[in-house]
Amino acid sequence: MNKSIQSIILGSSLLVAAPAFAGVATEMPPAPAAESPFEFEIHTGYHSIYEFRGVDFGDDLWEAGIDGSYAISDTLSLSGGLWYADNVDFDELDLYLGLTKSFEHFDLSVGYTYYLFPGDSDADTQEFYVGASTEVAWGIGLGLTYFYDFDLIEGGYLELEATKSFSLTDCLGLDFAVGAAWSFDYNGDVDGGDLDGFNHWYASVALPWEIREGVTLAPYAKFVGAGSDLNNEYDADASEDLFLGGAVLTVTF
């Protein structure tokens, strides 16, 4: 499930009049266009397994979404989006809204997600999240996020992630991510109850390729090491490690 509310992009222009000195009109160089506080991206992708928080929800996931952000100030931004997914078992639409505050050395975020399942409204649910992220030595990013489902599940999920990116060429990058997650009466365990403890760990690698300015294709591979008490196979009582891959095409404007 992705966090991704539809937004409208607004443009702006700046008109500067040239002053006159000693009765002679002097032409001023054109002023640079004002930077828009809005940013948007459209994305679509394929994933060999629909893996969400360590759980295998089926093979062959096709997805698409749109995300946007608005800079309220230099240190405060509002973001939102929608994400639609289709696999062999069900369709899903996620609506997301978040607020991020930047400080000198770290960012704090809060947000809300509404998960809708067309054709099975009994599965619809809602959650909020709070997170913190920073960059430490050698350009390593660290993030810690807590999610709480206050609707259908009434449980919490905590994830810690570390990331590192490299530039291989002017248009090709290399991104690494590792993380671990814990459930608090969130995912089911093999005994049929709610899991309260270690959920899974994961490692992923991606090769983002900037095909042209604002257009990026990112193939990736990911390994998920499931906790022994995590029932992570959809509609089955089993705990198994997962290996998946896919690619995401993103257009930013």
Side-chain angles (χ1 to χ4, degrees):
M1 299 179 187
N2 198 343
K3 301 182 191 114
S4 290
I5 297 209
Q6 191 172 14
S7 303
I8 299 174
I9 188 167
L10 301 177
S12 61
S13 61
L14 181 63
L15 180 63
V16 178
F21 294 95
V24 179
T26 305
E27 184 177 357
M28 299 291 289
E35 184 177 348
S36 172
F38 292 90
E39 290 186 2
F40 287 87
E41 71 173 36
I42 299 172
H43 50 86
T44 185
Y46 168 79
H47 312 270
S48 61
I49 295 176
Y50 181 3
E51 180 266 328
F52 178 65
R53 298 178 182 171
V55 176
D56 178 353
F57 283 96
D59 296 337
D60 298 325
L61 174 70
W62 296 91
E63 53 91 359
I66 181 170
D67 298 290
S69 66
Y70 173 68
I72 300 172
S73 69
D74 290 341
T75 60
L76 186 66
S77 64
L78 179 69
S79 61
L82 59 85
W83 182 78
Y84 181 79
D86 174 52
N87 75 350
V88 294
D89 293 310
F90 56 86
D91 296 341
E92 178 185 340
L93 175 64
D94 299 347
L95 305 177
Y96 154 84
L97 190 65
L99 190 67
T100 299
K101 173 66 176 179
S102 297
F103 297 90
E104 185 175 359
H105 299 296
F106 63 96
D107 295 343
L108 288 180
S109 300
V110 295
Y112 163 84
T113 304
Y114 189 10
Y115 300 101
L116 299 96
F117 297 89
D120 186 11
S121 60
D122 290 340
D124 294 354
T125 192
Q126 306 171 75
E127 72 178 14
F128 71 81
Y129 72 87
V130 57
S133 61
T134 189
E135 185 175 300
V136 294
W138 307 296
I140 297 174
L142 291 179
L144 182 66
T145 309
Y146 176 74
F147 305 85
Y148 183 76
D149 185 304
F150 59 89
D151 191 356
L152 181 65
I153 300 174
E154 295 184 339
Y157 174 88
L158 179 69
E159 185 169 287
L160 174 66
E161 182 179 64
T163 60
K164 174 63 178 177
S165 296
F166 300 90
S167 293
L168 302 180
T169 69
D170 290 341
C171 61
L172 186 64
L174 180 62
D175 296 344
F176 292 100
V178 294
W182 293 260
S183 284
F184 302 91
D185 295 327
Y186 185 81
N187 277 326
D189 63 17
V190 293
D191 296 325
D194 292 325
L195 178 61
D196 191 11
F198 179 70
N199 195 86
H200 73 286
W201 70 274
Y202 63 88
S204 68
V205 58
L207 281 168
W209 170 39
E210 188 176 31
I211 302 171
R212 54 176 297 177
E213 185 177 0
V215 180
T216 302
L217 178 65
Y220 78 94
K222 182 178 183 179
F223 175 81
V224 176
S228 59
D229 290 330
L230 174 63
N231 178 9
N232 71 331
E233 187 176 347
Y234 185 58
D235 283 343
D237 291 332
S239 177
E240 64 176 10
D241 296 339
L242 306 174
F243 183 76
L244 60 144
V248 177
L249 179 68
T250 303
V251 179
T252 304
F253 55 95

